[in-house]
């Protein structure tokens, strides 16, 4: 779709709107200039009014054709010759979307015959569903179970409320005359005669007694390095790490947990190396309870769980390397630092689900089992002796080569092949037999 915009040397007539794009008929030109429609305008070639009527009919026919309607067969009036634009006026075609920059540009029509066969885009291939990485699953525990602060008050609150409740009970008993006269006189009060406990005395006594029982029964002593895990009818209610005199509701069940930094040394545990040789290992673990809720409620006994995980992790780590490499330079279990780092990482990952933080897990002793210890000792001695002999022989050969080279290079002796071999043999025997044991 195109819009005709008039531009040129002649200005638009006064009174014509800027957005009016209708053709300028002679009548409109004369009306815009303020002249009589029947008067002739100088300088312009204005057609006869019959021409305007013919132009109007042509516009009606063009609109009918554009809408798919047939032309009027009764209209046999010959079309007058078309006239060009007025002198001094130029017409320029401007795309229709330019005046409306804020609106999206209409997409070109690609369904017509001139557009050719429409290109079909291939559908994107579906993405493969990610699968979990193969390997052993690490326990994660209950994500909803995390340590948070439990309901606790300073101890002086419980002491004060309990004292006031006991004082109220004493006042009720004094009014009933139950308190002995000697005790009342000690406080400077007037003793009252005992007439028995009436029905009006029992409700305040019961209420004040319950308050005193709750206030004094909830007092506790928080120790440094320990925490209380609070539960109510099996539901976790929070953890109290406050020290000193505290008050916790006596309706809550308390379980004390040690949160200090602790170490655990295992007994000699059986294991095997990469070659299948039986070993005995002693491991020392430094650990601490980080999440008291998980350590208490996520497992039956967190210390027993730690001991079992230490044995399991140690068996997996030690089975990846040989205990000794007698005749080659290769990583072995004698590298205590590397073995300890691997054991610490694996054990920390295993115990995170129960709220235990492992700082260090180091093997303090790795030795062969008694049934293979003697055979491995002989093998180790033989390997050490072979390595020593190889070192000694290398030094002797270097000494003999240096001696023969010096004798011949300085011209002290002249040797042929037979004499050179005999001299090398004699020097080797002399150096080898004369070495210190």
């Amino acid at each position: 779709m195109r819009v005709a915009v008039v531009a040129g040397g002649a200005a638009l007539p006064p009174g014509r709107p800027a957005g009016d794009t209708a053709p300028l008929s002679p009548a409109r030109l004369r009306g815009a200039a303020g002249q009589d429609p029947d008067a002739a305008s100088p300088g312009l070639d204005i057609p006869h009014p019959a021409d305007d009527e013919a132009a109007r009919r042509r516009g009606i026919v063009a609109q009918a054709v554009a809408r798919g309607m047939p032309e009027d067969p009764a209209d046999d009036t010959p079309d007058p010759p078309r006239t060009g634009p007025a002198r001094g006026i130029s017409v320029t075609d401007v795309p229709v979307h330019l005046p409306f920059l804020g609106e999206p540009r209409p997409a070109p029509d690609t369904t017509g015959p001139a557009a050719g066969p429409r290109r079909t885009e291939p559908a994107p291939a579906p993405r493969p569903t990610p699968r979990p990485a193969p390997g052993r699953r690490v326990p994660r525990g209950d994500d909803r179970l995390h340590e948070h602060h439990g309901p606790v008050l300073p101890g002086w609150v419980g002491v004060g409320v309990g004292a006031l409740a006991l004082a109220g009970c004493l006042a009720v008993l004094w009014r009933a005359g139950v308190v002995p006269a000697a005790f009342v006189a000690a406080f400077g009060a007037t003793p009252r005669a005992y007439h028995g406990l009436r029905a009006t005395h029992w409700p305040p006594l019961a209420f004040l007694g319950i308050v005193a029982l709750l206030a004094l029964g909830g007092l506790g002593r928080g120790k440094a390095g320990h925490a209380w895990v609070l539960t109510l009818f099996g539901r976790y209610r929070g953890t109290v790490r406050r020290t000193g005199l505290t008050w916790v509701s006596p309706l809550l069940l308390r379980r004390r947990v040690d949160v200090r930094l602790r170490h655990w040394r295992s007994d000699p545990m059986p294991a095997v190396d990469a070659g299948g040789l039986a070993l005995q290992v002693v491991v020392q673990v430094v650990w601490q309870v980080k999440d008291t809720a998980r350590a208490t409620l996520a497992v039956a006994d967190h210390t027993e769980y730690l001991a079992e995980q230490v044995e399991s992790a140690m068996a997996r780590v030690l089975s990846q390397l040989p205990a000794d490499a007698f005749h080659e330079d290769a990583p072995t279990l004698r590298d205590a630092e590397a073995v300890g780092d691997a054991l610490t990482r694996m054990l920390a990952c295993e115990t995170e689900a129960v709220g235990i933080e492992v700082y260090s897990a180091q093997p303090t002793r790795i030795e062969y089992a008694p049934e293979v210890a003697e055979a491995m000792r002989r093998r180790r001695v033989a390997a050490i002796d072979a390595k020593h002999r190889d070192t000694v022989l290398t030094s002797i050969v270097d000494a003999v080569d240096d001696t023969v080279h010096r004798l011949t290079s300085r011209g002290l002796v002249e040797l042929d092949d037979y004499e050179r071999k005999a001299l090398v043999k004699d020097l080797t025997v002399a150096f080898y037999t004369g070495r210190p044991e």
Side-chain angles (χ1 to χ4, degrees):
M1 182 178 181
R2 300 289 179 173
V3 177
V5 178
V6 179
L12 292 175
R16 177 182 173 87
D20 190 359
T21 58
L24 296 177
S25 62
R28 296 188 65 182
L29 288 175
R30 289 192 298 270
Q35 300 176 2
D36 185 8
D38 298 332
S41 300
L44 292 177
D45 186 9
I46 301 176
H48 195 268
D51 296 339
D52 294 340
E53 181 63 20
R56 186 180 64 79
R57 294 182 61 84
R58 285 201 306 272
I60 294 175
V61 173
Q63 293 178 4
V65 173
R67 295 176 182 177
M69 299 172 57
E71 297 184 10
D72 187 6
D75 186 11
D76 54 355
T77 306
D79 296 337
R82 297 182 181 180
T83 58
R87 293 187 299 271
I89 298 177
S90 61
V91 179
T92 305
D93 291 338
V94 179
V96 73
H97 71 277
L98 290 182
F100 310 98
L101 296 180
E103 300 180 0
R105 185 172 182 177
D109 185 12
T110 58
T111 59
R118 189 172 184 179
R119 183 178 180 182
T120 304
E121 296 292 338
R127 295 183 178 180
T129 303
R131 297 181 179 179
R136 185 180 51 84
R137 296 181 60 186
V138 179
R140 301 302 303 172
D142 189 359
D143 295 336
R144 298 171 297 177
L145 189 61
H146 289 285
E147 178 182 337
H148 59 82
H149 295 290
V152 61
L153 293 175
W156 60 267
V157 175
V159 174
V161 173
L164 291 177
L166 291 178
C169 290
L170 187 62
V172 173
L173 294 176
W174 171 74
R175 290 181 62 86
V178 180
V179 181
F183 184 79
V184 174
F187 286 93
T190 303
R192 299 172 65 99
Y194 176 68
H195 298 288
L197 292 174
R198 301 177 182 178
T200 56
H201 295 153
W202 288 110
L205 282 177
F207 174 75
L208 293 175
I210 293 175
V211 171
L213 186 63
L214 293 177
L216 299 180
L219 294 177
R221 181 171 59 93
K223 299 173 58 177
H226 293 78
W228 280 330
V229 177
L230 308 179
T231 56
L232 179 63
F233 304 115
R235 182 181 179 184
Y236 174 67
R237 301 299 298 172
T239 300
V240 176
R241 291 179 177 261
R242 180 178 294 184
T243 58
L245 186 63
T246 58
W247 182 88
V248 180
S249 175
L251 301 178
L252 299 176
L253 180 62
R254 312 177 192 179
R255 298 179 62 179
R256 189 179 293 273
V257 181
D258 191 348
V259 295
R260 295 174 296 181
L261 188 66
R262 304 163 65 183
H263 75 278
W264 177 78
R265 185 183 179 92
S266 68
D267 296 329
M269 295 181 294
V272 294
D273 65 351
L277 295 176
L279 304 174
Q280 283 190 346
V281 186
V282 177
V283 182
Q284 181 173 349
V285 183
V286 180
W287 62 283
Q288 185 180 23
V289 174
K290 183 179 180 181
D291 193 322
T292 57
R294 289 193 171 191
T296 307
L297 305 177
V299 68
D301 189 355
H302 60 275
T303 56
E304 183 179 356
Y305 179 85
L306 175 64
E308 293 177 355
Q309 291 300 325
V310 168
E311 185 174 0
S312 174
M314 181 200 62
R316 292 197 300 269
V317 171
L318 298 186
S319 62
Q320 298 177 3
L321 295 174
D324 289 296
F326 299 106
H327 301 287
E328 59 183 3
D329 294 334
T332 64
L333 297 179
R334 302 304 172 185
D335 189 357
E337 184 176 359
V339 174
D341 292 343
L343 185 60
T344 301
R345 290 193 300 269
M346 184 174 295
L347 193 59
C349 188
E350 294 286 346
T351 57
E352 183 182 2
V354 296
I356 295 178
E357 184 174 3
V358 177
Y359 296 98
S360 173
Q362 299 292 332
T364 58
R365 188 177 65 187
I366 300 178
E367 58 185 14
Y368 291 102
E371 58 270 17
V372 297
E374 184 62 25
M376 299 309 297
R377 187 187 66 82
R378 291 196 299 267
R379 184 178 178 184
R380 180 179 300 174
V381 171
I384 293 175
D385 184 67
K387 187 175 182 179
H388 176 66
R389 289 176 180 275
D390 183 71
T391 303
V392 171
L393 183 59
T394 301
S395 62
I396 290 175
V397 170
D398 292 340
V400 171
D401 180 69
D402 183 64
T403 301
V404 174
H405 178 71
R406 289 185 178 184
L407 291 176
T408 55
S409 62
R410 296 181 180 180
L412 299 179
V413 293
E414 293 183 0
L415 303 174
D416 55 9
D417 293 341
Y418 177 77
E419 294 174 346
R420 180 185 292 274
K421 293 180 181 179
L423 179 60
V424 169
K425 179 180 178 180
D426 295 340
L427 289 176
T428 303
V429 172
F431 288 164
Y432 193 81
T433 54
R435 66 182 178 85
E437 296 294 341

